[in-house]
Amino acid sequence: MEKGIFNNFYNYLKDYFENGHFKTAENEPALIIQRRAAAFQVFKEKGIPSNKDEEWKYTNLNRLLKDDYKFHSLESQFQKVSVDIEGLDACRVVLINGKFEPDLSHGLPEGVTFLDTRDVFANPQVADKIGTIADWEDNSMLAMNTAFFRDCYVLHVAAKTVITQPIHITHIYTDHADAAFIPYRLFTVAEKLSESTLIETFHSFTEKPVFVNYAVEQQVDEAAVFHTHMINTLGENIQFIHHREVQQFRNSVLNNSNISLGNAALTRNNLNFRLKESNTETNLIGTYIVSRKQHVDNHTIVDHQMPNCNSSELYKGILLDKAHGVFSGRIIVRPDAQKTNAFQQNKNLLLSDQATTDSKPQLEIFADDVKCSHGSTVGQVDKEALFYLKTRGIGEETASRLLVEAFVEDVHSQINIPALRDYVAGLLKEKLQAETLIIA
């Protein structure tokens, strides 16, 4: 218990639950209520994780979660702004402050079902799945979400369907009277022999602090192909903690991109992939560009549990000013996971003497017939390349931007949707143009 943080926000949540202020929905299944109570006990005992916890060693939540966050009680007024991706032909699901907005959502194709909170709770067989993939028993922030989530959604892709149109979930966070706490979650199922693409973009329009605790559980069934993209453009008043737990089954393929190009004060992504049956493939790419005093922390686990599975992971970070980047990548190869191929690489580019990065690639191998590698690099812009561009008449700042863009190009080029790739390129240019890139 002494490892946790027990601040005003912790006390608010504890009192809120124990004094009966947290009202569950009328039709909330008994099993969900039981899981809430069990998860609350975990959170109550552990508190908010401190940097005495090895998993949070490089992220000081006592400093980052200093505001007195509260559940938002009033619906905020939101005037529609453009958060569309130019040229992207996609069906749209819009969540504002974690709540489904049917009037702004449209176009789900045949074979795809999206259930909002009421529909999820009305179907006990569906509701009972919530909390079965993401293990909160040793994770206090996930336990916090499990205990307090107000809304949950299920996205289901039917078996033997190929969905050519991406499913775009737009997350928007807006102003409230005071600092707001928004916990919610999503459960996705890609059934046997299906193929589909899920794009999630995150946007904010708020001058007040907002703490988002978002949890995702994903099931990728036999021979399914599931492409997932996460694009974070959140503003500086957002503290964003996100946990994603994925189960893959025989012959399935999961491709995930995780792109952080916003100004959020805190971004923490826990991405856990469990390869539960043979012949699965998992491909992970990610970039994070942070400046000022931003803090981004990516924790990934790729857990090879059965033989003949492949995984690859490439994350790249660009850090400016006094920003802090953390990458912790863990590959586990279980005793039964012979013939595993697993590769992991994290590369970081420091553009300031005051920027810092902590990189911790890890291999845990309990099988003997495997091919595994991991690595980490930290460096600065190539001075010779910079000098070469300057001798060709390119200004120093423009040359610096070109080299930085080139550094992440091999990651962004793997995004297989042209409109989304162009969108990411535009966000990168916008982010870099907002900064002074003169390399000492």
Side-chain angles (χ1 to χ4, degrees), residues 35 43 48-49 51 70 76 84 86 115 162 240 267 420 428:
R35 285 184 187 140
F43 172 69
I48 297 169
N51 50 17
K70 302 280 192 302
S76 59
D84 293 336
E86 184 177 355
L115 303 178
V162 177
F240 182 73
T267 299
L420 186 61
L428 175 61

Side-chain angles (χ1 to χ4, degrees), residues 378-399:
V378 178
Q380 297 176 318
V381 166
D382 187 330
K383 298 295 180 63
E384 290 187 6
L386 183 61
F387 176 76
Y388 175 83
L389 291 175
K390 289 167 65 177
T391 62
R392 296 302 185 268
I394 300 174
E396 184 169 352
E397 193 159 352
T398 300

